[in-house]
Each structure stands twice: as C-alpha cells, then as structure tokens.
Amino acid sequence: MKLFWMKNKVLIATLCAVLVLGVFFWGGLRLFEGNQMQDVMVRTAYAEAEAATALPGQMPTPTPAPTELPAELVSEEILGLEWKYKDIFPRITDIYSYQAKTWKEGDTVDEALTDAARKKAKDVFYQLFNDGGDYHDFASATVVRYVDEAGYRENVLRVTGKDNDFVCVLTEKDLGLLIADNAKFPAAASVHENEDAKEVAEYLGTTLGQGKAGGGGSQDRTGKWVERFFGFELSDGRWITLSYTMNTLHGIQVHQDKYSMQEGVCFQADIRNSPEVVHLVAPENFVQGDINDIAEGDMTVEQVKRMYRTLLSAANGRAAERRDAEGKTLEELDYNLNDWEITYYLDKSGYRENYYHIHKKELIAIDIAAKSGYIVRAKCDGLYNPDDELKLINIHYDHMGGPEYLAYVRNIAEQTWGKENVKDVDVNAVYDGNYCTIDAYMTDGRWYEFCFTGGKLMEIQHYARERSDVCGWAADALYVNTITGEQFYQEW
C-alpha cells in the first residue's frame, strides 16, 4: 500500500520508528542462553505496530522483528519508553489502550505524601519485581498528582524515576497500586506467570480467582518469545495483567473488572469498546415522511434537488457533456429526478436530522440531511468529470493522489457547500494498485472521505467530528459507558 498522507500521522511515524527498534531485541536475545542471568537491559516494544489493530479482548498476532536496519540507528532515547511512558499511565503491553483526555495535573503533592508515595513504589519494586535499590533511585523520584476533570476517575499519583527508568501509578486516597513498569532488569531463563500472579494477588490483599487470559505478545525470527503478557482474575472481582520481556516480569496493572483488563485500562470509566458495557446513546430510528408535508426548518424538495444537481455536475460533469463524451441518450444519463427517486425520512431518535434519500439508478444513492445539507453518505456508480482539468480516469497509479485528485475533490466540495465552508483538501491514501482516498475538511470540524477506484468516484463518507471513528451521523459515534453513565464520541 502506497501511503501519501494518513489521518493518523502520529501512529504512522511511530510505526516507522518501531521498525528500527526491532534490531535492538535481537542483539539482546543473543545475550542470554539457557538458565544464565545476564547484564541489565533496557526494555523496548517493536510490536507497537499491532496496537491499532488489536480488538477489545483479543490478543494480537505475534509480529516478527525486522532485520534490515542497522543497530547503530537505535538510541536509548527511543527504545520504546518514549511511547510507553508518554501518558500518565504507562503502557505495559503492545495493545493500544484508551487514556482519558480529561486528566490534568493537580496541586503540588506535599512532602509527607510524596515521601509515602516513593516508599510505596519502592516496596512494589522490591516485593513484586525483586528489584529496587540495585537499579533505581526511589528517593529522587518525582511524584505528581493528576485529577480527572470529568469526575469519573479518582485522583492518582504518578511516581517517575529520575532517569525515566520506572513508573508507578498509585491511587491518592490509599496509595493502592494501579500500574507499575520497570525499564531496567536482568533477563531470565523462563516465565513463571502463575507463581508471580499468586504473589501479586497476595500483595493486593486477596487471592487468585479462576479466570486467566491467554498470553499475547511478540516473538523474534526464531519463534522465541520476546514480550508476553497474561491476565489473571482475582477473587475480589478485580483482574491483573502481568507483562514480561526476556522472560522477566517488568509490568503489573490492576484492573477494576474483566472488561477493564480486556481493554488494558485500570478504571471502568475507561472502557470504550466492550459491547457488554458500552452502548449507543440513541440507535437510528427513522420513519418515512410525507414529501408534500416537509417539517419546518427542513430544506424544500426543490432545494434538495438543486443540491443534488450541483453535486453531480461537479462530480460527473454536466449531464450534456457526459452524454456527449460517452454517446449516451437523455434517458440513459439525466440528472432530473422522478417522484419515486426521492424519499423523505423523519428522525424519531431525537439525535439526528430528518433526511432525504435519493436513489438515481446508475448514478448515485445519497442521503442528505434535511436541515444542514450535509451529505450523510453516498454510494456512487463510477462518477467522473470529463473536463480535461478534472478527469482522473487516465491517471496512472503512480500519480494517483496528485494535484488532479485534489482539484477534483475541492471542486465538488466548494460547488456543493460553498468555498467559504471548505478548510482544506488532502490525500489520505493510495493503495492496492487502483484505489485512492481524498479527504475534504470543513471549517466546522466535519470532514468527508472521497473514495476512488480507477479514477472514478465510488463513495463519499461523512465524519461529523474531526477525529470521529464512525462515519454517518454524529449520533452514530455517540456512546455511553453504562457503568459510569459517561457519554463520549468514538475517536481514532
């Protein structure tokens, strides 16, 4: 897949860095054989590439490390910690987990609480990682309070090593362990996850339950495990995740329930995908209306027809020019609508608009929001503009996504919604030898993705918010966490 420009630019840049990091692991793997313990190593995670594709509750497919890049390109500054530790809660596995944007740094932690938090972190590392003063200076660790402005999560204290070589996050109210990660440790001969889980459960004041989640992680070229992680149920309903690198336990996370564990988060408030917990606030509920009795504030039938013709004229050329270009008759290619080709629907969910559905055979099937004029969705039958400056069908794959594509999409967007409402047009991706997607960004934050096959427009997808992960109506991306009652939009 040949990429020009992706919505998730940060992730793509990170993936490139991760390819470089793989070499470091192989050098590390050669450092230990059999049961012999070796020198202290710094952990990394080339399997970050799997983070964007792992589904909730699923373990990612192991990703072999790359071999082509020279080791001298790797520096300790980018050995995974930059990604693992950039958020308040360190990431102890290679699965992407949600981190709320409502956290803010709180008031300065007083000296007594700071000292207590440092001692607690030291105790966690001594007792559970069998590690402490040998590798870390707990006395100089920073302690920062974080507060959730949304009010769904309790205050936490983040204890961070002076050299960013460990992180431990505790609840402020009782210094309960939430998550801890160790960046320096000796490699071990084998994993003993069951024994470790029992020890962690006892440290947390409980015992192991019956549930266990199979280990996921990543392997090297030879099939040896480099990183592994396991989930264990506790008898009090909580779950824990244990993470290993070089067979050594380096990460512990405490989850409020099974769903939190499956999504790699500490709090139930951060569950974003589990269907048992997360539901749509308002599912679609439309009924057919009377096209002769349009609701107040909705566009008239004539206004919608005019918008439809404007869109098609920009996307498909004026009907007369397209007919001449293809030798078609008026009956075969005409932008006039018959009564049965336009339907009016009324929203009963209370979260969407009424809309017009137009189905013009061999041209387009399109839904137009009745008040705002947004195109909710459109399926097109290979539209193209015969104008020489906008014609895309003869452009070779190597030049797809170029200025001609941008000009074509910009012309449609500006003609349909007005030049003043179009913020920018940019390439999303060119891929698989024949496909291209172009994004048009509106000034109000919404955006459209135009999908092409062989230079012909096949689909228009509407996203109501700048980072929306669900196309269609805004309400199609509005969910509620049924445990906390918090409503949120699914975002990428």
Side-chain angles (χ1 to χ4, degrees):
M1 180 171 173
K2 184 174 113 184
L3 299 176
F4 278 90
W5 194 256
M6 300 298 291
K7 297 184 292 292
N8 46 351
K9 306 179 186 74
V10 175
L11 177 59
I12 294 302
T14 308
L15 296 182
C16 294
V18 168
L19 292 176
V20 179
L21 302 182
V23 178
F24 176 81
F25 272 129
W26 298 333
L29 281 173
R30 299 189 191 98
L31 292 179
F32 69 103
E33 293 288 342
N35 296 322
Q36 185 178 5
M37 299 291 285
Q38 304 297 319
D39 293 336
V40 173
M41 301 185 63
V42 179
R43 179 177 54 83
T44 181
Y46 57 71
E48 179 189 348
E50 301 167 31
T53 58
L55 297 176
Q58 276 190 336
M59 297 303 181
T61 302
T63 300
T67 59
E68 300 83 1
L69 299 177
E72 57 265 22
L73 293 179
V74 180
S75 70
E76 289 192 3
E77 295 178 356
I78 62 168
L79 287 179
L81 298 183
E82 181 178 353
W83 180 75
K84 296 274 188 177
Y85 290 178
K86 70 184 181 70
D87 293 312
I88 298 172
F89 294 83
R91 303 185 188 277
I92 67 169
T93 73
D94 53 14
I95 289 180
Y96 176 82
S97 56
Y98 173 76
Q99 303 230 6
K101 300 177 180 64
T102 52
W103 288 105
K104 71 170 184 178
E105 188 170 329
D107 296 335
T108 302
V109 183
D110 62 50
E111 185 175 347
L113 186 55
T114 295
D115 185 56
R118 287 170 175 166
K119 289 180 179 178
K120 175 67 174 186
K122 183 176 181 179
D123 186 58
V124 167
F125 278 75
Y126 266 111
Q127 300 295 326
L128 301 181
F129 295 125
N130 299 315
D131 174 17
D134 294 339
Y135 303 140
H136 303 303
D137 178 9
F138 292 95
S140 62
T142 59
V143 179
V144 180
R145 173 187 287 113
Y146 289 95
V147 177
D148 175 31
E149 291 184 296
Y152 292 102
R153 304 156 187 89
E154 60 181 297
N155 293 359
V156 301
L157 302 177
R158 189 184 202 265
V159 184
T160 307
K162 180 180 65 174
D163 299 321
N164 204 38
D165 53 4
F166 76 88
V167 174
C168 184
V169 181
L170 310 168
T171 57
E172 180 182 356
K173 65 181 181 182
D174 57 6
L175 298 184
L177 175 64
L178 290 176
I179 189 167
D181 190 77
N182 190 6
K184 292 182 178 180
F185 49 82
S190 58
V191 171
H192 303 285
E193 73 275 13
N194 294 316
E195 294 86 344
D196 292 336
K198 181 179 179 182
E199 185 177 350
V200 172
E202 291 174 353
Y203 184 84
L204 296 173
T206 184
T207 59
L208 285 179
Q210 297 299 312
K212 180 180 179 180
S218 56
Q219 296 171 299
D220 68 1
R221 290 178 299 175
T222 68
K224 290 182 180 179
W225 287 100
V226 178
E227 292 185 320
R228 301 189 73 177
F229 57 93
F230 305 87
F232 290 89
E233 182 183 18
L234 303 182
S235 57
D236 60 9
R238 291 180 295 172
W239 281 69
I240 56 174
T241 294
L242 305 184
S243 292
Y244 296 80
T245 296
M246 304 300 191
N247 296 326
T248 302
L249 176 66
H250 67 74
I252 300 170
Q253 187 170 10
V254 182
H255 314 276
Q256 290 186 329
D257 62 10
K258 180 180 181 179
Y259 305 118
S260 304
M261 181 277 297
Q262 290 174 338
E263 297 194 22
V265 296
C266 294
F267 298 111
Q268 292 174 321
D270 292 323
I271 299 171
R272 286 295 184 267
N273 299 291
S274 300
E276 298 88 349
V277 176
V278 175
H279 301 165
L280 267 176
V281 171
E284 280 195 9
N285 184 10
F286 290 101
V287 297
Q288 186 170 336
D290 184 353
I291 204 164
N292 297 310
D293 183 20
I294 303 303
E296 184 178 355
D298 285 356
M299 291 189 296
T300 65
V301 174
E302 286 305 314
Q303 288 175 317
V304 172
K305 287 182 177 179
R306 191 179 309 121
M307 179 180 173
Y308 154 82
R309 291 193 192 96
T310 300
L311 170 70
L312 276 188
S313 293
N316 207 44
R318 292 190 303 115
E321 292 181 4
R322 180 70 184 272
R323 285 197 299 271
D324 292 342
E326 298 188 358
K328 292 191 175 183
T329 65
L330 182 65
E331 291 75 17
E332 291 174 309
L333 182 59
D334 180 59
Y335 295 163
N336 290 324
L337 290 170
N338 297 304
D339 291 344
W340 63 82
E341 292 174 325
I342 182 168
T343 311
Y344 180 56
Y345 287 96
L346 301 175
D347 169 51
K348 296 299 182 181
S349 74
Y351 282 78
R352 298 165 181 81
E353 299 180 36
N354 302 333
Y355 76 95
Y356 289 91
H357 174 72
I358 297 173
H359 188 188
K360 185 69 173 176
K361 188 178 180 182
E362 297 180 355
L363 275 177
I364 194 170
I366 185 172
D367 295 337
I368 300 175
K371 281 188 171 60
S372 59
Y374 306 141
I375 292 177
V376 183
R377 58 184 70 88
K379 294 285 187 179
C380 311
D381 190 17
L383 307 184
Y384 75 92
N385 195 316
D387 190 312
D388 289 340
E389 295 181 357
L390 299 172
K391 192 174 181 179
L392 308 178
I393 59 176
N394 296 325
I395 295 177
H396 189 269
Y397 175 69
D398 289 341
H399 300 287
M400 281 186 176
E404 300 88 350
Y405 275 81
L406 299 182
Y408 175 84
V409 171
R410 183 176 290 277
N411 181 58
I412 295 175
E414 292 182 350
Q415 291 291 329
T416 305
W417 297 291
K419 186 175 182 179
E420 70 281 2
N421 294 316
V422 180
K423 180 180 179 181
D424 194 17
V425 174
D426 211 342
V427 182
N428 180 334
V430 178
Y431 58 100
D432 291 351
N434 199 35
Y435 304 95
C436 179
T437 54
I438 305 291
D439 294 340
Y441 299 93
M442 304 292 109
T443 55
D444 63 0
R446 71 188 59 252
W447 54 285
Y448 293 89
E449 188 157 284
F450 289 72
C451 306
F452 298 87
T453 299
K456 295 183 178 182
L457 182 62
M458 307 303 293
E459 187 174 3
I460 302 174
Q461 297 178 347
H462 166 256
Y463 295 84
R465 295 165 56 85
E466 186 172 340
R467 294 176 58 86
S468 178
D469 198 31
V470 181
C471 61
W473 300 97
D476 294 342
L478 181 61
Y479 285 81
V480 59
N481 182 312
T482 56
I483 294 176
T484 64
E486 180 183 16
Q487 295 185 10
F488 60 90
Y489 287 95
Q490 292 283 14
E491 296 181 337
W492 51 265

